[in-house]
Amino acid sequence: MSLYVIAGAGTDIGKTYVTRLLIARLRAAGRGVQPLKPVASGVADLTDPAFADSDTARLLDALGETATAAAVEACSPWRFREPLSPDMAAAAEGREVRLEAVLAWIRARRDAAPAGTVTLLEGVGGVMSPMTSDALNLAVIKALAAPVVLVTGSYLGAISHALTALETLKAHGAAVHAVVVNETAGSGVDFAATMASLARHAPQARFIPLRQHARAIDLDLA
Ligand SMILES: Nc1ncnc2c1ncn2[C@@H]1O[C@H](COP(=O)(O)OP(=O)(O)O)[C@@H](O)[C@H]1O
Ligand SMILES: [Mg+2]
């Protein structure tokens, strides 16, 4: 019944990529895993070929599951078409998504999973991006008291984004299990130097390097 939140220092940082690798690692170890992306925007209809580009489709694919209507609903019950933050994407459809409803759904899914199952909750955007109409990812992390796997990048400016996210999580009492430093495509910043700088400025954190097109991640989850 363990649950980890896969949070980002920003959007498009590699949360889904990392979650897929964690799913593969857990499955290879014979562990049960259930990925949840409860609130997802930019999701086309299941009947639209563009659905394959959604996080929900990618997570189900990593699980080896067919994206049936039931499987999609069980992973991502709040889906919005516009590629905006969920509060805005919901408003564009005249809908809203409330923190308490999302929390209740996550807890129910976590508690209903077979013993030993690891639940991986992919957040939305960055730590302080809205996840619902009334709350940020941070509120979800705090309410669940779940350890965080923070995904950061190696672009110019990524060190500040990583350290700012870490400080924010610390200030709110969130436990950071590890920070995955996901190499940013096309970045001119040296990857090893980024790792060294992060370790120097946040010696308490565990940084896990992840290179472009990595096929596996060296990170264990309890
Ligand atoms: N380490 C990596 N190697 C290759 N492609 C990556 C890597 N990390 C992310 N990507 C790609 O970058 C894009 C954004 O990553 P994604 O995981 O969807 O970000 P997020 O879930 O944080 O929005 C996707 O197309 C993804 O496949
Ligand atoms: Mg994603």
Side-chain angles (χ1 to χ4, degrees):
M1 275 209 339
S2 69
L3 185 153
Y4 292 82
V5 178
I6 317 302
T11 197
D12 278 337
I13 197 86
K15 296 183 301 296
T16 306
Y17 195 93
V18 166
T19 306
R20 281 173 55 91
L21 292 181
L22 290 172
I23 291 169
R25 185 176 176 94
L26 289 161
R27 290 182 73 202
R31 305 274 309 272
V33 55
Q34 125 173 294
L36 305 178
K37 171 88 188 187
V39 181
S41 45
V43 185
D45 279 347
L46 185 50
T47 51
D48 185 331
F51 177 80
D53 298 330
S54 68
D55 286 3
T56 312
R58 294 205 162 105
L59 295 175
L60 292 174
D61 174 70
L63 263 188
E65 274 194 27
T66 305
T68 60
V72 169
E73 193 68 19
C75 180
S76 303
W78 288 274
R79 301 181 302 281
F80 303 104
R81 192 179 304 269
E82 293 294 325
L84 299 169
S85 71
D87 54 339
M88 296 183 201
E93 297 179 20
R95 299 163 62 193
E96 62 172 11
V97 46
R98 311 291 299 182
L99 174 66
E100 283 311 320
V102 173
L103 286 174
W105 182 85
I106 295 167
R107 290 184 176 118
R109 292 302 314 271
R110 177 197 61 193
D111 296 347
T117 301
V118 180
T119 298
L120 300 177
L121 176 74
E122 184 183 335
V124 172
V127 168
M128 295 198 73
S129 300
M131 190 194 285
T132 63
S133 303
D134 56 349
L136 307 177
N137 283 262
L138 187 59
V140 175
I141 292 166
K142 285 173 70 173
L144 295 170
V148 172
V149 174
L150 178 68
V151 183
T152 70
S154 67
Y155 51 90
L156 185 61
I159 291 170
S160 177
H161 291 165
L163 297 176
T164 302
L166 277 174
E167 282 297 313
T168 302
L169 289 164
K170 187 167 120 189
H172 288 268
V176 177
H177 178 68
V179 182
V180 178
V181 184
N182 188 25
E183 185 180 27
T184 303
S187 170
V189 181
D190 185 75
F191 189 70
T194 298
M195 293 296 299
S197 178
L198 285 168
R200 192 159 61 244
H201 294 295
Q204 76 286 359
R206 175 160 55 136
F207 293 99
I208 308 289
L210 190 71
R211 304 305 296 249
Q212 269 290 300
H213 305 297
R215 306 286 295 257
I217 188 167
D218 186 16
L219 176 61
D220 285 322
L221 304 177

